[in-house]
Amino acid sequence: MNDSTDGREPAGKDLPRVDRRTALRWMGAATAAIPVLEREALGAERSGTRRPRLPAGGYGPDPDLLRSYQPGDLWSLTLNDAQRRLVMVLCDLVMPADESSPSASSLGVHDFIDEWISSPYPGQVEDRRILLEGLAWIDVEAIRSEGEVFVSLPAEKQFKMCQALARRAKASSNTFPGSFFYRLRNLVAGAYYTTPEGMEDIGYRGNTPQDRWDGPPPEVLEKLNLPPQ
Amino acid sequence: MPIVSPKQLRERYDVIIVGSGAGGGQMAYTLTMEGLKVLVLEAGRVYDPVSETPMLQTWNQAPLRGVATPDKQYGFYDASIESGWELPGEPYTNASSEPSRQFRWWRQRMLGGRTNHWGRVSLRNGPYDFKTRSRQGIGFDWPMTYQDLAPWYDKAEMLVGIFGDQEGIENSPDSSPGVLLPPPKFRAGEILARERARPLGISVVPVHRAVLTQQQDAWRIPGRLHPGNPRAQRLLAENMRLRLKCLFATDCHRGCSIKAAFDSTSVYLAPALKTGDLDLLPQAMVHQVTLNAMGKASGVVFIDKQSGREHRARGRVVVIAGGSQESVRLLLNSQSNRFPDGLANSSGLVGKYLTDSVARRVSAQIPALENLPLHNEDGVVGQQAYMPWWLAGEQETLDFPGGYKALLVSGRKMPNLNIGRRFDQVSQADGIPFGRQLKEEARRYYGSFQSIGAQGAMAANDDCYCELDPVVKDRWGIPVLRFHWKWSEDELRQVSHQQRAMAEILEAMGGRFFKRPLAEQPEKAIRQGGTIIHEVGGAIMGAHPSKSVTNQWCQTWDVPNLIVGDGATFPGTADKNPTLTIMALAYRAADHLVDEMKKGNL
Ligand SMILES: Cc1cc2nc3c(=O)[nH]c(=O)nc-3n(C[C@H](O)[C@H](O)[C@H](O)COP(=O)(O)OP(=O)(O)OC[C@H]3O[C@@H](n4cnc5c(N)ncnc54)[C@H](O)[C@@H]3O)c2cc1C
Ligand code: SF4
């Protein structure tokens, strides 16, 4: 039941079930929302830069719910190699490996970020704009202050920059570049804790069929000073 | 073949039912078990919960981690397809541009309707809830008492399979002994809430939900539900044995492939199809009920969504159960010389008196629940505990009529994408938490959040109604509904009380609030009409033809062989969720219909 990759047709074949007008409307909204900064930043020649393709269409109102979907299955992805490397580094700053669990990038969270910002749906348009803008900004900022792109900085410097961004995000989650870090952190941590490894780490122990449910174990009741039930 | 195309329809059916949700499904079940030839027309496609439900899938297997999109408006894995607040090509309108005066309408176009993903909370209306006008001077009385409906509550509960306990709480009735299944054990936060709420005079008790905590008694129940009907007994027993008990894992909103959670398809339609007396026509959008020369309902006109062509079906009786407002729309669109303002609308009341639950949640973080030893808290994933309205006996001391109940939402639930920002307000970090610190804080605080969601009564009023939009039509050219909505002072005062009481309970649990409860700003707290998706009314039942649309058997006064089988007949909303009452009313109406048809009265 859990393993739902059941040899059906890969998605995408009959994908754009959304009518053309809707798709165009979404596309229009997406293009219009990308600020000048990002276009310029993306246009700047960096290794392997390609302009992001704006996808059309979603999975439609009646998708196959059993299949296991991978980023890129339903719509094409956005990030070029350099951006992808940068996102991987940022993912691991937000969710690093520690004694009990692996790092975000080892769980493919960066690919999820790419899937998310490449989404054809209006709900992700704003994130796309701000994240792409942020990726460009953070390199500009790294070069300005340290003379190197972000991924080339030593770990402590990267962490320091994130810390500064985290403070700005706390002060205002709507103001760039705090907004960039806020959204990135939300997505990375959310994507992390929705993987089996992340669920394990946070302490979720469910999603396992059981013959019976007996309520909390005695040690939980004890900790809460509640009598045995 | 039970699933038919427009070309395979019989010449004439005993009963035609529009809609396959809670109301339509129950009618189809009862009528086919009694041997009537029934046609169910359903606007959506055939959906099979057994083979289509994503049970153990985790969010990382879904596109965008399963968040809601315009295509799947309750999230990717939710058991709603072709459904939502907005449906392409099927608009509805609001008369006011003021958000607080607008109504939101969730529609579900699939076999089984909204029963595929509903929360399964199944509470009986209490004796007072049938007497709103007599007790409170507002709204309407139902044309029946609680005692009149109680036997059908028992029957519906035995058929559906509902867990719960006997509490003896005023106006929150118990079931007859042996009807309910055992309730699940409480989670840690639910036990804590029970202990801390008790000194406030508030009981936290097991909710009633349509989830099998054990298999139904297939030896005993069929005989009780179908005395003297061996075929029905056999078919029901067979179907009950196919339903397994809950796995204590997997969210019921996704549906339940083992049939432990109730949905209309698994529980009503599957055995009904086995009778051979049910024809099921999917993808059929009914837009008119036809009348014969005698003024009786003679059938329906529908659009086959696949071909776009119009067809007719004929029957001796027509039941409409498209989900309250859709049934209202169908009546209003069925105009004739005899009924120029819409079918069965001689009272002018079709579309009037819409109600919904009065609701808002309050949430807090509970330090006592931090850092608990790791354990599985799925239980019967979803609600397990609630607080029945505790002031039913002291209503006159309050500044609002009608009560509310409160549902607890707690526990170490499967994390979703939103969890990334969940810990910001409790974090010790000087910025937003990230890195090792976030990981540590997440382990500490995960599962320590508790919400309480109140849902309260609403008496019918003149400001909440719908009518046909004079201009806007759907993709098939069928006129659409235009809504009018206005919460009254009563509901606003109730919401204030809810916010205060929920905050008090959470405080008693040691809760820390990060969003101030909105007791002083009820107009901000209250959700838009329709948001709770408990909308009912629009063809209310009553004791007089001039003051209501149907009688207590859900027959329209004007056209006795036309029956309203969904919540449109509710003369008001109680502090209980509507669906169990929809099922009990449909069950009772169907039993009555069978009697009347046997007697030759219809
Ligand atoms: C997220 C959610 C949670 C809920 N939780 C609860 C809960 O815990 N407890 C509770 O009591 N209630 C709950 N409800 C409400 C509950 O789902 C409804 O009260 C119940 O399903 C109503 O049954 P119905 O038969 O009237 O309508 P529906 O279940 O909506 O079924 C109507 C069917 O008719 C079809 N139809 C409509 N118009 C036409 C037409 N013109 N021609 C042909 N077919 C048509 C529709 O496609 C649909 O399949 C919840 C609802 C939602 C959305
Ligand atoms: S919690 Fe139980 S009843 Fe609900 S879907 Fe899962 S197995 Fe079915």
Side-chain angles (χ1 to χ4, degrees):
Chain A
M1 213 182 319
N2 195 7
D3 183 7
S4 52
T5 27
D6 55 1
R8 295 193 200 195
E9 287 284 21
K13 279 190 81 178
D14 51 355
L15 236 194
R17 278 182 241 184
V18 184
D19 68 41
R20 219 178 102 78
R21 242 186 55 228
T22 318
L24 286 174
R25 188 161 49 76
W26 291 348
M27 267 180 73
T31 338
I34 296 183
V36 184
L37 173 59
E38 188 218 319
R39 292 221 186 98
E40 285 169 2
L42 290 166
E45 272 302 315
R46 280 197 279 140
S47 57
T49 304
R50 59 190 149 88
R51 284 184 81 92
R53 269 182 300 152
L54 287 173
Y59 46 66
D62 187 9
D64 181 349
L65 303 182
L66 301 183
R67 251 195 63 190
S68 193
Y69 295 84
Q70 299 298 319
D73 278 0
L74 292 173
W75 45 79
S76 50
L77 302 177
T78 302
L79 300 179
N80 61 35
D81 294 344
Q83 288 170 317
R84 200 159 176 273
R85 264 199 306 280
L86 175 55
V87 170
M88 282 174 88
V89 169
L90 287 166
C91 277
D92 291 349
L93 283 155
V94 173
M95 286 279 122
D98 65 6
E99 303 69 37
S100 65
S101 54
S103 70
S105 69
S106 71
L107 301 178
V109 169
H110 52 290
D111 288 327
F112 163 77
I113 301 292
D114 202 355
E115 176 200 2
W116 182 267
I117 63 166
S118 310
S119 157
Y121 295 109
Q124 285 74 44
V125 165
E126 193 58 7
D127 281 343
R128 172 190 179 82
R129 180 177 74 74
I130 293 176
L131 287 185
L132 290 177
E133 194 178 330
L135 294 180
W137 176 89
I138 204 165
D139 268 348
V140 170
E141 190 59 22
I143 292 168
R144 191 183 61 76
S145 60
E146 307 290 338
E148 285 198 89
V149 290
F150 187 81
V151 295
S152 309
L153 300 183
E156 327 77 77
K157 292 239 159 93
Q158 292 174 339
F159 184 78
K160 276 235 158 67
M161 271 183 84
C162 287
Q163 243 179 350
L165 282 169
R167 277 190 219 104
R168 294 174 77 162
K170 188 170 185 179
S172 164
S173 58
N174 283 323
T175 313
F176 193 85
S179 58
F180 158 66
F181 193 71
Y182 180 67
R183 284 160 192 251
L184 179 81
R185 193 284 316 259
N186 292 350
L187 290 168
V188 172
Y192 184 87
Y193 287 124
T194 45
T195 61
E197 292 83 353
M199 292 192 283
E200 168 81 18
D201 189 49
I202 206 168
Y204 175 64
R205 290 292 177 273
N207 207 36
T208 316
Q210 302 176 95
D211 186 47
R212 40 189 298 145
W213 150 251
D214 291 325
E219 61 272 22
V220 172
L221 295 172
E222 225 163 86
K223 180 143 194 285
L224 289 167
N225 290 321
L226 293 168
Q229 299 296 309
Chain B
M1 197 182 83
I3 294 175
V4 296
S5 71
K7 291 207 181 82
Q8 295 167 310
L9 295 180
R10 290 175 199 237
E11 181 55 33
R12 194 161 185 243
Y13 291 88
D14 292 323
V15 183
I16 289 177
I17 300 174
V18 180
S20 64
Q26 173 68 62
M27 298 283 304
Y29 173 85
T30 305
L31 299 174
T32 52
M33 287 296 164
E34 292 300 321
L36 295 172
K37 305 280 180 256
V38 174
L39 170 68
V40 169
L41 298 116
E42 166 53 52
R45 79 159 166 90
V46 172
Y47 182 86
D48 174 22
V50 173
S51 61
E52 300 195 57
T53 303
M55 291 289 279
L56 292 164
Q57 272 77 353
T58 48
W59 292 119
N60 65 325
Q61 292 172 283
L64 303 173
R65 289 300 201 260
V67 300
T69 65
D71 282 330
K72 291 278 293 171
Q73 296 173 27
Y74 261 124
F76 190 76
Y77 284 139
D78 190 82
S80 53
I81 57 163
E82 311 275 1
S83 304
W85 300 107
E86 312 292 338
L87 297 179
E90 300 188 58
Y92 59 91
T93 64
N94 272 290
S96 172
S97 54
E98 170 66 36
S100 69
R101 304 202 55 171
Q102 294 185 339
F103 179 84
R104 299 178 74 205
W105 193 14
W106 177 275
R107 288 163 296 166
Q108 192 124 341
R109 299 270 192 260
M110 62 196 289
L111 190 65
R114 288 173 284 168
T115 68
N116 287 291
H117 79 151
W118 68 310
R120 274 104 180 156
V121 174
S122 303
L123 300 165
R124 298 179 175 207
N125 278 10
Y128 306 166
D129 303 324
F130 292 87
K131 298 295 159 210
T132 309
R133 181 102 205 162
S134 319
R135 293 181 58 88
Q136 297 165 3
I138 52 166
F140 301 103
D141 285 351
W142 296 51
M144 60 171 71
T145 64
Y146 170 71
Q147 298 309 334
D148 291 331
L149 192 55
W152 281 273
Y153 274 131
D154 277 345
K155 295 204 314 177
E157 286 169 347
M158 281 189 278
L159 177 57
V160 161
I162 292 176
F163 72 71
D165 218 340
Q166 311 284 76
E167 311 290 348
I169 288 169
E170 187 171 358
N171 201 40
S172 292
D174 290 337
S175 306
S176 295
V179 166
L180 297 178
L181 301 168
K185 294 262 173 47
F186 279 0
R187 304 180 177 104
E190 293 158 350
I191 302 171
L192 190 69
R194 186 184 62 201
E195 297 308 313
R196 299 291 186 270
R198 190 178 292 137
L200 305 173
I202 299 171
S203 332
V204 176
V205 301
V207 74
H208 298 202
R209 269 182 76 209
V211 165
L212 304 186
T213 47
Q214 63 185 35
Q215 269 199 301
Q216 288 167 295
D217 188 342
W219 296 105
R220 189 178 55 90
I221 296 173
R224 281 182 71 178
L225 294 184
H226 301 288
N229 183 346
R231 180 184 77 151
Q233 290 179 19
R234 176 176 53 80
L235 292 174
L236 176 57
E238 275 171 23
N239 200 59
M240 283 185 163
R241 293 194 177 101
L242 294 175
R243 298 184 64 192
L244 306 182
K245 81 169 175 190
C246 177
L247 297 172
F248 308 110
T250 82
D251 183 356
C252 303
H253 288 105
R254 298 180 177 197
C256 186
S257 69
I258 60 162
K259 303 184 176 200
F262 165 89
D263 63 69
S264 173
T265 308
S266 304
V267 179
Y268 290 150
L269 300 176
L273 284 167
K274 290 254 170 69
T275 63
D277 290 327
L278 175 63
D279 279 357
L280 190 63
L281 180 60
Q283 307 273 26
M285 185 72 197
V286 179
H287 61 93
Q288 205 185 345
V289 177
T290 53
L291 286 185
N292 64 17
M294 329 265 290
K296 288 179 80 180
S298 58
V300 296
V301 187
F302 65 91
I303 288 162
D304 172 20
K305 283 164 69 176
Q306 276 158 321
S307 68
R309 285 204 204 93
E310 198 171 88
H311 298 269
R312 281 163 194 268
R314 295 186 341 121
R316 286 164 64 198
V317 171
V318 174
V319 175
I320 55 175
S324 305
Q325 270 53 267
E326 207 63 73
S327 293
V328 168
R329 180 179 174 213
L330 187 49
L331 290 175
L332 293 174
N333 273 322
S334 300
Q335 294 164 358
S336 58
N337 289 339
R338 199 183 289 250
F339 294 105
D341 300 325
L343 188 54
N345 195 17
S346 67
S347 63
L349 295 179
V350 172
K352 302 288 191 283
Y353 308 124
L354 307 186
T355 54
D356 188 21
S357 296
V358 178
R360 183 69 191 231
R361 263 189 196 188
V362 181
S363 308
Q365 191 265 339
I366 316 285
L369 296 174
E370 288 170 22
N371 271 330
L372 286 185
L374 303 185
H375 65 290
N376 179 343
E377 273 208 321
D378 274 355
V380 290
V381 183
Q383 280 117 358
Q384 303 198 137
Y386 88 122
M387 304 167 211
W389 178 229
W390 54 94
L391 295 174
E394 296 161 49
Q395 198 76 50
E396 61 287 349
T397 66
L398 303 171
D399 62 355
F400 61 95
Y404 57 88
K405 64 167 181 296
L407 292 151
L408 287 171
V409 184
S410 76
R412 307 172 69 85
K413 292 190 291 191
M414 186 191 273
N416 62 26
L417 189 67
N418 284 331
I419 200 148
R421 56 168 185 267
R422 192 82 173 113
F423 312 106
D424 284 4
Q425 283 150 316
V426 282
S427 174
Q428 268 93 56
D430 60 351
I432 58 166
F434 73 98
R436 294 178 78 95
Q437 180 164 22
L438 174 52
K439 283 179 116 179
E440 279 156 26
E441 290 183 333
R443 286 178 210 125
R444 168 171 173 186
Y445 294 116
Y446 163 71
S448 69
F449 296 84
Q450 172 97 46
S451 317
I452 308 181
Q455 295 179 342
M458 175 183 176
N461 68 54
D462 291 335
D463 295 322
C464 299
Y465 63 98
C466 63
E467 61 195 347
L468 291 182
D469 189 296
V471 184
V472 182
K473 300 194 168 45
D474 71 9
R475 66 162 90 163
W476 301 288
I478 311 168
V480 309
L481 288 181
R482 178 167 71 180
F483 289 95
H484 300 253
W485 195 268
K486 187 168 181 251
W487 294 112
S488 76
E489 287 300 314
D490 288 337
E491 286 97 46
L492 295 175
R493 280 194 289 264
Q494 184 194 145
V495 159
S496 288
H497 194 276
Q498 291 178 356
Q499 293 279 304
R500 268 194 300 275
M502 304 304 101
E504 200 183 349
I505 298 161
L506 289 166
E507 259 160 30
M509 296 174 73
R512 297 195 276 166
F513 298 95
F514 299 103
K515 260 197 215 130
R516 241 163 41 87
L518 295 164
E520 310 312 321
Q521 294 158 288
E523 57 302 318
K524 262 202 185 158
I526 202 164
R527 312 293 299 272
Q528 265 177 333
T531 304
I532 306 303
I533 323 186
H534 288 166
E535 76 282 1
V536 292
I540 68 168
M541 58 166 65
H544 302 286
S546 62
K547 293 192 174 143
S548 54
V549 179
T550 81
N551 66 15
Q552 60 167 307
W553 314 106
C554 308
Q555 293 171 281
T556 63
W557 292 111
D558 292 341
V559 185
N561 72 334
L562 172 63
I563 295 180
V564 181
D566 56 25
T569 58
F570 282 32
T573 288
D575 54 325
K576 327 297 191 297
N577 313 46
T579 310
L580 179 65
T581 301
I582 292 175
M583 300 193 280
L585 284 177
Y587 206 148
R588 184 170 181 264
D591 280 354
H592 182 72
L593 178 61
V594 170
D595 284 349
E596 290 289 287
M597 289 179 90
K598 277 188 186 146
K599 287 187 205 147
N601 290 347
L602 282 176

